[in-house]
């Protein structure tokens, strides 16, 4: 076991498109709804709480904008009413040797929002585009 926690800046994303490095991943979140219940004959004047359905927040992927790269837009354009191209996405936090230390597997992901970079005449930053995806499940594996 390492004496230090993992740094968050060394990661890979396999999103089913070109192998381009991403600058940021956010939204790796799982939560459980709480169901409150009380039956009429309960001696307690309060509700009990039990776990309900799981929820997964949308995931946001950010990367640099490249000339002639329209993959974000091509993927979101597969959306047609109730049909869309779904993908399995694998996000890996890497250790100091470059091996996966923590892996998030995203099930049945599809794009819900694409955002182009902002433009600024006096800016000195890289152009960044954003893809927001919805999905039906997130598993976390510590390797």
């Amino acid at each position: 076991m390492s004496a230090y926690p993992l740094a968050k800046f060394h990661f890979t994303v396999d999103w089913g498109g070109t192998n381009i490095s991403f600058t940021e991943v956010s939204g790796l979140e799982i939560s459980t709804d709480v169901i409150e219940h009380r039956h009429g004959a309960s001696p307690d004047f309060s509700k009990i709480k039990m776990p309900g359905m799981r929820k997964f927040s949308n995931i946001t992927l950010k990367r640099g904008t490249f000339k002639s790269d329209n993959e974000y837009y091509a993927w979101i354009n597969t959306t047609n009413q109730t049909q869309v191209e779904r993908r399995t996405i694998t996000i890996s936090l890497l250790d100091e040797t470059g091996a996966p230390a923590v892996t998030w597997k995203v099930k049945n992901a599809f794009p819900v929002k694409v955002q182009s970079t902002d433009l600024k005449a006096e800016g000195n930053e890289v152009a960044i585009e954003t893809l927001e995806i919805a999905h039906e499940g997130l598993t976390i594996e510590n390797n």
Side-chain angles (χ1 to χ4, degrees), residues 35-130:
I35 300 171
E36 293 185 344
H37 173 74
R38 181 180 182 278
H39 61 83
S42 173
D44 298 321
F45 295 115
S46 61
K47 299 175 184 177
I48 62 167
K49 295 185 180 194
M50 26 187 218
M53 296 181 74
R54 276 199 167 167
K55 293 190 297 189
F56 306 98
S57 65
N58 288 351
I59 296 174
T60 302
L61 304 171
K62 294 184 179 184
R63 67 177 190 173
T65 302
F66 290 88
K67 183 178 178 178
S68 301
D69 178 7
N70 292 317
E71 288 188 84
Y72 275 3
Y73 304 102
W75 191 19
I76 200 164
N77 285 334
T78 67
T79 305
N80 185 6
Q81 291 186 350
T82 60
Q83 296 185 358
V84 66
E85 177 190 339
R86 293 177 181 257
R87 298 181 182 176
T88 298
I89 296 176
T90 303
I91 302 160
S92 298
L93 180 62
L94 308 176
D95 65 17
E96 60 277 354
T97 68
V102 181
T103 302
W104 293 265
K105 292 190 178 177
V106 183
K107 176 182 163 187
N108 292 330
F110 62 95
V112 294
K113 180 180 179 182
V114 172
Q115 181 178 347
S116 296
T117 188
D118 60 333
L119 304 172
K120 189 185 319 179
E122 295 181 4
N124 191 27
E125 303 93 20
V126 170
I128 300 292
E129 58 186 0
T130 303

